[in-house]
Amino acid sequence: MILTTADQRAEANAALGFSPTCDPDGIIRVIRALRYTDRHRGDAVAVANALGWAQTVVRRLLDIEAEYSKVRATIARLEVANHRGDDYTLADLAFELQQDGIDLKTDYDHADDLARAAEQEGLL
């Protein structure tokens, strides 16, 4: 997969204008709306709604790419710093990401649940 550059994301954001980001459930609603619209192309309201909702998915994709780019850049920066003699840890990575607005608390909770389940499997 080829990721968008910061310039491409900026251009896409400018072209998109203001559009809210859909929530995870919104993705399914958009897919259903697009499928309905594909079958009922004469329904102008359905077409207009599907196009509007599709823009919220595009906004979400742009937001995800921007966040993913931050994660990659932070990992790369700390890794290069470590190769040059610094001693960054995973805790430093988490702190840096949090400073960039990327909170991993939910991911930590999920990872902890998985670790506990794996430990319990070992006890059976």
Side-chain angles (χ1 to χ4, degrees):
M1 173 175 60
I2 298 171
L3 299 175
T4 58
T5 65
D7 288 343
Q8 289 169 325
R9 284 191 305 277
E11 184 178 349
N13 279 316
L16 186 59
F18 175 78
S19 179
T21 298
C22 74
D23 59 15
D25 292 332
I27 295 169
I28 301 301
R29 288 191 303 272
V30 170
I31 292 168
R32 288 181 181 147
L34 290 171
R35 286 191 173 166
Y36 175 86
T37 302
D38 190 39
R39 290 189 306 272
H40 302 92
R41 291 174 190 229
D43 185 343
V45 172
V47 170
N49 285 338
L51 289 173
W53 294 332
Q55 290 179 23
T56 68
V57 173
V58 171
R59 168 65 60 211
R60 183 175 178 87
L61 291 172
L62 289 169
D63 292 348
I64 289 168
E65 281 225 13
E67 185 169 294
Y68 184 57
S69 179
K70 286 180 188 178
V71 170
R72 289 174 58 98
T74 302
I75 291 169
R77 184 172 46 78
L78 295 181
E79 179 66 15
V80 167
N82 276 355
H83 282 289
R84 293 185 176 194
D86 288 332
D87 189 22
Y88 287 105
T89 66
L90 291 175
D92 295 319
L93 173 62
F95 176 79
E96 294 282 333
L97 290 174
Q98 188 174 23
Q99 294 303 304
D100 247 346
I102 300 170
D103 186 4
L104 300 176
K105 183 184 179 331
T106 302
D107 301 281
Y108 295 150
D109 293 342
H110 182 69
D112 194 40
D113 290 343
L114 290 175
R116 252 191 262 119
E119 289 167 355
Q120 289 175 352
E121 285 291 319
L123 297 175
L124 297 178

